[in-house]
């Protein structure tokens, strides 16, 4: 899932300075699952903003609205009838959701309340880790299901580097060395010979480096 | 294939090689490099120039190599994959060769989080293994990485290419296999991480010999003179992939100033003498961190003067 983290309250407050009517838009998909931008978090931020406005003797009006998915036009249409009445839309979705709103409502100021952090998984309750960078050319099959692009701080394809110690990464001793994991996984699978040849340089044109990426599903396009 | 490298000449002659290193200044003071170079010139066969080591901004390795070359030193250009993509790396290899730099050491590079620019974006377009293969292909075949036009250079670079190896990092049973990959990718010489744990290094060399790698690549054992017990403990505790046994720390313990430095040099010389006797070790790489003036004494005490 896409994991996000709410921005510090002070930053949110300063972004909203001077705004009286705020439409606070949550998203019911990824950011809800990671407890960052679903209906509950929208309610929490709204109360925080209302309370601090009251304390500062400012008059604000906040409308809370969480849609199923902010990254799809179909769902954000639910917001459309209310938008005109507000000064700003603050989105609690990932960066895709924020941009979807900005694109759909070009005359409105759209602000992000969340830092989109990574594509990851829930390792244990309350603990998410990054596992995928969406490089556009998955190599997990060659590395025992452990991604060297994402999980190695140097994204090296012929590791491990000299900083791997006791199974941990030199950059953060709390993070397992991806290459230690790759080697032990492949060894357990009897596939260590996969690493005997030098992996040639990766073609990064399918990654972010090739510019904005697009995906077309011809069969889905209505003529 | 032979290059103009003095280091290659010495290693090919069968002599026990001595290299050292020179860290460029954190300023534009070219005279710092020249001063360090003059200290190292008579007692080494080649001098490595680090490439923004520990991710701290310093004078460029290539510029410093050119300065060393101007006073008759054979520089080893260290090149890390952290700061440049394949376009810049290949371009710098061509430039280095044109400026008369004959040795290249391919490295991953210390992660930027350790240095003075932790907010920097790292590159790692290619890794050290891929850089090795790239440099070899440029030198031997006149080709660039997966060049779409299949372009072949009319004047390819000619460089003696090397890599680093850390016999002390984990997973330890994979380290020799990784060395074999480096050899297959084009490394003709290897400079190792600092050796304090001779026993562990000896075990690694045994595995190296068992695979016959010592006959395919020149291995230079890395050594570092310790300045104090504090430095020894720091290296043990804070530098990943470094193995400083308690026996070494005990010898440094309680010694201050000059006495500690003397002990550090003594341990270093003892290590070199043991490396000299080890089958498959072709030389020594002395990394006297910000203590280049200790190198002439170490080389002399290790009975490695004069240089061939």
């Amino acid at each position: 899932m896409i994991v996000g983290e709410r921005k510090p309250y002070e930053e949110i407050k300063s972004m909203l300075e001077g705004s009286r009517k705020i439409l606070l838009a949550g998203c019911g998909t990824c950011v809800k699952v990671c407890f960052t931008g679903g209906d509950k978090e929208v309610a929490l931020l709204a109360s925080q903003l209302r309370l601090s406005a009251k304390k500062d003797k400012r008059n604000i009006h906040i409308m809370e609205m969480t849609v199923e998915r902010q990254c799809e036009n179909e769902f954000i249409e639910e917001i459309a009838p209310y938008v005109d009445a507000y000064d700003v839309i603050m989105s609690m979705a990932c960066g895709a959701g924020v941009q979807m709103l900005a694109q759909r409502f070009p005359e409105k100021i759209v602000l992000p309340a969340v830092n989109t952090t990574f594509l990851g998984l829930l390792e244990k309750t309350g603990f998410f880790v990054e596992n995928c960078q969406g490089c556009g050319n998955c190599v997990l099959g060659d590395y025992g299901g452990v991604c060297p692009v994402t999980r190695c701080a140097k994204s090296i394809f012929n590791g491990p580097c000299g900083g791997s110690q006791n199974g941990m990464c030199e950059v953060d001793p709390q993070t397992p060395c991806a290459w230690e994991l790759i080697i032990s996984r492949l060894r357990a699978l009897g596939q260590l010979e996969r690493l005997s040849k030098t992996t040639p340089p990766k073609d990064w044109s399918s990654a972010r480096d090739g510019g904005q990426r697009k995906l077309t599903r011809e069969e889905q396009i209505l003529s | 294939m032979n290059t103009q490298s003095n280091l290659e000449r010495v290693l090919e002659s069968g002599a026990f090689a001595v290299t050292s290193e020179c860290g460029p200044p954190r300023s534009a003071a070219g005279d710092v490099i020249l001063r360090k170079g003059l200290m190292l010139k008579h007692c080494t066969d080649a001098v490595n120039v680090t490439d923004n080591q520990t991710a701290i901004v310093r004078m460029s390795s290539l510029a410093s190599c050119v300065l060393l070359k101007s006073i008759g030193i054979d520089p080893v250009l260290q090149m890390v994959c952290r700061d440049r993509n394949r376009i810049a790396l290949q371009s710098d290899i061509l430039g280095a060769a044109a400026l008369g730099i004959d040795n290249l050491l391919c490295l991953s590079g210390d992660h930027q989080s350790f240095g003075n620019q932790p907010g920097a974006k790292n590159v790692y377009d290619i890794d050290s293994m891929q850089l090795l293969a790239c440099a070899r292909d440029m030198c031997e075949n006149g080709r660039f990485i997966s060049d779409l036009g299949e372009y072949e250079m009319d004047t390819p670079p000619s460089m003696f290419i090397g890599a680093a190896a850390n016999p002390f990092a984990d997973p330890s049973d994979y380290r020799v296999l990784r060395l074999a990959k480096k050899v297959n990718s084009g490394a003709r010489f290897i400079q190792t991480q600092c050796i304090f744990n001779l026993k562990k290094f000896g075990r690694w060399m045994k595995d190296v010999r068992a695979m016959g790698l010592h006959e395919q690549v020149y291995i230079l054992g890395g050594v570092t003179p310790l300045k104090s017990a504090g430095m020894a403990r720091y290296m043990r505790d804070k530098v990943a992939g470094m193995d400083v046994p308690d026996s070494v720390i005990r010898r440094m313990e309680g010694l201050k100033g000059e006495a500690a430095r003397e002990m550090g040099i003594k341990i270093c010389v003892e290590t070199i003498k043991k490396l000299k006797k080890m089958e498959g070790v072709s030389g020594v790489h002395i990394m006297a961190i910000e203590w280049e003036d200790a190198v002439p004494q170490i080389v002399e005490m290790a009975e490695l003067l004069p240089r061939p």
Side-chain angles (χ1 to χ4, degrees):
Chain A
M1 82 182 89
I2 296 169
V3 179
E5 190 176 21
R6 208 192 79 184
K7 284 180 176 287
Y9 181 69
E10 285 310 313
E11 187 183 344
I12 292 176
K13 202 178 151 191
S14 100
M15 275 194 282
L16 290 172
E17 212 175 277
S19 306
R20 236 174 40 77
K21 298 176 103 186
I22 303 155
L23 198 161
L24 195 56
C27 177
T29 307
C30 311
V31 288
K32 179 182 166 76
V33 181
C34 64
F35 310 101
T36 301
D39 48 357
K40 284 189 187 133
E41 292 74 37
V42 166
L44 185 71
L45 178 59
S47 327
Q48 245 178 314
L49 289 166
R50 285 185 193 111
L51 267 172
S52 83
K54 201 170 171 188
K55 214 175 113 200
D56 301 345
K57 300 196 169 49
R58 280 186 300 113
N59 194 11
I60 62 163
H61 173 67
I62 300 174
M63 176 177 175
E64 302 167 31
M65 191 154 193
T66 297
V67 298
E68 184 67 27
R69 273 198 291 285
Q70 254 184 50
C71 56
E72 275 185 53
N73 241 332
E74 192 186 326
F75 294 103
I76 61 173
E77 275 313 308
E78 292 171 34
I79 301 178
Y82 308 98
V83 164
D84 275 350
Y86 292 87
D87 305 333
V88 297
I89 306 174
M90 174 161 267
S91 166
M92 294 195 73
C94 70
V98 179
Q99 293 184 65
M100 187 81 226
L101 291 176
Q103 194 173 306
R104 173 65 184 79
F105 307 114
E107 72 289 355
K108 282 288 154 201
I109 295 167
V110 180
L111 301 170
V114 164
N115 292 322
T116 309
T117 40
F118 52 78
L119 235 73
L121 55 80
L122 175 69
E123 195 158 279
K124 57 184 186 217
T125 311
F127 185 62
F128 301 86
V129 285
E130 181 178 25
N131 284 77
C132 179
Q133 288 199 349
C135 74
N137 187 4
C138 191
V139 294
L140 283 168
D142 295 330
Y143 298 98
V146 179
C147 178
V149 178
T150 310
R151 299 178 67 179
C152 169
K154 299 179 183 174
S155 292
I156 60 178
F157 284 91
N158 297 281
C161 80
S164 173
Q165 208 159 33
N166 304 320
M168 298 311 224
C169 173
E170 66 174 344
V171 174
D172 172 17
Q174 306 299 315
T175 302
C177 164
W179 273 93
E180 177 91 28
L181 297 176
I182 290 168
I183 289 163
S184 63
R185 284 274 294 148
L186 289 179
R187 185 172 278 143
L189 294 168
Q191 293 186 340
L192 202 58
E193 83 289 344
R194 277 183 181 276
L195 301 181
S196 56
K197 282 210 177 79
T198 296
T199 304
K202 183 175 170 71
D203 177 353
W204 294 104
S205 63
S206 62
R208 188 215 60 82
D209 310 82
Q212 188 187 28
R213 292 174 278 176
K214 298 171 192 77
L215 171 72
T216 310
R217 288 255 178 272
E218 294 290 352
E219 72 281 8
Q220 300 278 315
I221 297 173
L222 303 172
S223 54
Chain B
M1 194 182 73
N2 279 43
T3 67
Q4 297 293 311
S5 156
N6 182 57
L7 177 60
E8 182 185 28
R9 180 189 64 79
V10 171
L11 286 166
E12 297 262 284
S13 77
F16 191 78
V18 177
T19 58
S20 186
E21 77 174 24
C22 171
R26 297 175 66 182
S27 73
D31 56 311
V32 172
I33 291 287
L34 296 174
R35 204 172 60 235
K36 287 181 176 183
L38 287 174
M39 267 186 272
L40 299 171
K41 187 178 173 182
H42 74 286
C43 60
T44 59
D45 305 316
V47 174
N48 286 37
V49 182
T50 50
D51 182 3
N52 296 297
Q53 80 269 26
T54 61
I56 287 172
V57 182
R58 289 167 189 277
M59 186 184 292
S60 91
S61 179
L62 178 50
S64 307
C65 280
V66 171
L67 288 170
L68 289 182
K69 183 89 186 176
S70 74
I71 52 167
I73 288 172
D74 184 33
V76 179
L77 174 68
Q78 295 197 180
M79 205 178 239
V80 304
C81 300
R82 178 192 58 224
D83 310 321
R84 282 163 291 184
N85 69 7
R86 64 189 79 178
I87 301 172
L89 290 166
Q90 292 179 102
S91 164
D92 281 351
I93 289 174
L94 295 180
L99 288 164
I101 308 305
D102 299 312
N103 309 289
L104 175 69
L105 189 78
C106 304
L107 305 163
S108 306
D110 298 315
H111 193 268
Q112 74 278 7
S113 57
F114 295 108
N116 64 345
Q117 311 281 326
K121 187 176 195 311
N122 68 27
V123 180
Y124 293 116
D125 172 24
I126 59 175
D127 63 25
S128 61
M129 198 82 72
Q130 294 162 340
L131 178 59
L132 271 173
C134 158
R136 178 188 52 196
D137 260 14
M138 288 176 76
C139 292
E140 289 183 8
N141 307 318
R143 300 269 188 192
F144 296 110
I145 292 174
S146 60
D147 194 337
L148 296 174
E150 298 284 302
Y151 177 81
E152 199 180 321
M153 297 166 226
D154 50 10
T155 309
S158 170
M159 293 177 113
F160 187 47
I161 303 165
N166 186 352
F168 310 105
D170 290 320
S172 56
D173 54 352
Y174 187 72
R175 288 289 153 187
V176 176
L177 296 174
R178 186 152 192 262
L179 175 68
K181 270 176 93 165
K182 289 201 169 176
V183 174
N184 289 331
S185 297
R188 296 193 50 218
F189 70 95
I190 294 288
Q191 290 170 322
T192 76
Q193 176 65 287
C194 318
I195 302 162
F196 294 105
N197 187 339
L198 265 162
K199 220 179 229 171
K200 193 161 180 186
F201 181 75
R203 283 200 295 273
W204 183 78
M205 275 309 299
K206 201 173 150 213
D207 294 342
V208 167
R209 288 192 299 270
M211 285 185 76
L213 294 172
H214 63 304
E215 284 160 352
Q216 299 168 52
V217 71
Y218 296 111
I219 295 171
L220 283 74
V223 292
T224 287
L226 293 166
K227 275 183 183 163
S228 64
M231 176 184 175
R233 280 192 297 266
Y234 178 85
M235 289 179 97
R236 179 190 62 188
D237 301 334
K238 302 280 181 210
V239 184
M242 189 76 79
D243 185 338
V244 187
D246 291 342
S247 57
V248 170
I249 290 172
R250 271 199 300 276
R251 289 180 71 184
M252 296 299 295
E253 214 91 67
L255 299 173
K256 297 255 176 313
E258 198 48 42
R261 285 196 285 274
E262 263 174 38
M263 179 56 81
I265 288 177
K266 187 166 181 252
I267 295 170
C268 184
V269 170
E270 286 171 13
T271 309
I272 296 174
K273 286 185 170 171
K274 283 180 182 147
L275 291 174
K276 241 161 88 181
K277 288 191 195 134
M278 219 177 261
E279 190 194 344
V281 178
S282 302
V284 66
H285 178 51
I286 307 169
M287 293 166 273
I289 304 156
E290 290 305 321
W291 193 18
E292 283 85 354
D293 52 337
V295 178
Q297 191 191 347
I298 292 169
V299 180
E300 189 181 3
M301 285 171 70
E303 292 156 27
L304 291 166
L305 285 181
R307 298 310 309 149

